[in-house]
Amino acid sequence: MARAASRPRIALRLRSTSHSGAKKASPRTKKSRSPDTKSDPRSSTAPGERRPLPFVVRFLVMLIAFAAMVAFAAALAQITLQPSPASEALTHSNLHPGRSLRAYLDQPELRDAFKQIGGNLVLGIPFGVLLPVLVPKARGILRVLLLTAVVMMMVELVQGAVITGRAFDVDDVILNTTGALVGYLLLGRRLNRAVHPRKRRRKNSKGVKA
């Protein structure tokens, strides 16, 4: 009878040790799962959202754009602000949009018309490419076109008032602004988004923007 009574006690001890071992093992499972629940900074971006370029790359792009803008400004001054005494009697100011364009197209040789129209368009393309990189606030077509129109208007005014053999032409401003539009749509818009990414507001659990 003494031996039979001792057996249930042993079973109770085994059960108690099994329960205590399970309780001690549970914190380990929690600790093992905790590193997985930590948020990875790389996974903070949305799956369809592009990661922003590194700061060094963006700085180099802006530096190259600045050097290109300086070179373009020097070339623009050389082309537009150089006196032309031989054509002084042939130049006339144009304040009516479309008049010079019709004169270009009425020329007998198509090469001359292509040179005049295409040259003014090409002069405006660097504005549409470089301005969005150098000026972070130059987002959108309207701002780029406005800045280009203001700069080229000032150039045309200097031509008509100071430079010999040059005259103010509103059609040149229109063509330059159109060239800036082409440059912005082709490359300037993408460069602006890559170099100056927009900061999106994060939403909390209640759906309110922080």
Side-chain angles (χ1 to χ4, degrees):
M1 295 295 290
R3 291 180 181 178
S6 61
R7 289 180 183 177
R9 295 180 181 178
I10 297 172
L12 291 173
R13 289 179 182 177
L14 292 175
R15 290 178 183 177
S16 62
T17 54
S18 63
H19 286 295
S20 62
K23 291 180 180 179
K24 291 181 180 179
S26 59
R28 294 180 181 178
T29 56
K30 292 181 180 179
K31 291 181 179 179
S32 62
R33 293 178 182 178
S34 58
D36 296 336
T37 56
K38 291 182 179 180
S39 59
D40 190 1
R42 296 180 180 178
S43 62
S44 59
T45 57
E49 183 181 356
R50 295 182 180 179
R51 296 178 182 176
L53 295 175
F55 175 77
V56 177
V57 177
R58 287 183 288 170
F59 178 77
L60 290 177
V61 172
M62 292 187 65
L63 187 62
I64 294 172
F66 178 76
M69 181 60 80
V70 172
F72 170 70
L76 181 64
Q78 183 68 22
I79 295 172
T80 59
L81 302 180
Q82 185 177 4
S84 179
S87 59
E88 184 176 2
L90 301 175
T91 56
H92 301 282
S93 298
N94 176 31
L95 301 177
H96 301 278
R99 178 179 293 180
S100 295
L101 291 175
R102 289 191 296 269
Y104 295 154
L105 296 175
D106 290 339
Q107 293 181 1
E109 294 185 6
L110 184 62
R111 183 180 60 182
D112 295 336
F114 180 79
K115 182 179 179 180
Q116 294 291 337
I117 297 176
N120 286 311
L121 287 174
V122 171
L123 284 178
I125 291 177
F127 284 99
V129 176
L130 299 177
L131 280 178
V133 179
L134 297 175
V135 184
K137 294 183 179 181
R139 297 181 184 271
I141 297 176
L142 295 179
R143 294 184 180 181
V144 174
L145 297 183
L146 181 61
L147 289 174
T148 304
V150 170
V151 173
M152 299 312 299
M153 185 75 69
M154 294 175 62
V155 172
E156 291 292 328
L157 289 174
V158 173
Q159 281 185 344
V162 179
I163 308 302
T164 304
R166 303 282 184 176
F168 177 86
D169 196 341
V170 68
D171 285 339
D172 290 346
V173 179
I174 295 174
L175 291 173
N176 297 145
T177 307
T178 305
L181 173 62
V182 174
Y184 178 79
L185 294 178
L186 291 178
L187 189 59
R189 178 173 54 182
R190 297 178 182 178
L191 289 176
N192 181 274
R193 292 177 179 177
V195 179
H196 307 291
R198 294 183 179 180
K199 295 181 180 180
R200 296 185 177 181
R201 297 180 180 178
R202 296 181 180 180
K203 295 182 179 180
N204 53 19
S205 60
K206 295 181 180 181
V208 181
K209 293 183 179 180

